[in-house]
Amino acid sequence: IDLARRCGTLGGGLPAIFNAANEVAVDAFLNGRITFTSIVDIVEATVQKLGSGSPIVARNLDDVSAIENDARKVAVEIIGRVAQ
């Protein structure tokens, strides 16, 4: 919950990154690929990778979709490295 609040407070594209990574991680958990406790680690790693550096701006729905697509790809890569 703390990570979600920080992403919401900082704004920009971070909430979209958090949401997309969380969806991918929860799906991996439900399909037995990762442990429940790995969900937060994967989301946090995705946020760190995509959210570091210059601020991500989400000006419109196309921007949000692009940000979410990038986050999903990164989360899938991370899951591939940590999958059971």
Side-chain angles (χ1 to χ4, degrees), residues 19-80:
N19 184 61
N22 188 60
E23 288 176 0
V24 170
V26 168
D27 182 66
F29 165 69
L30 293 174
N31 286 298
R33 296 189 61 221
I34 62 170
T35 63
F36 179 76
T37 56
S38 295
I39 294 171
V40 173
D41 296 336
I42 291 162
V43 173
E44 187 165 19
T46 304
V47 169
Q48 288 294 323
K49 181 168 183 167
L50 293 176
S52 61
S54 52
I56 299 170
V57 178
R59 296 172 296 245
N60 55 43
L61 287 178
D62 289 335
D63 288 348
V64 173
S65 291
I67 291 166
E68 286 183 338
N69 287 336
D70 289 345
R72 289 179 205 292
K73 288 176 189 172
V74 169
V76 166
E77 290 171 10
I78 295 168
I79 289 166

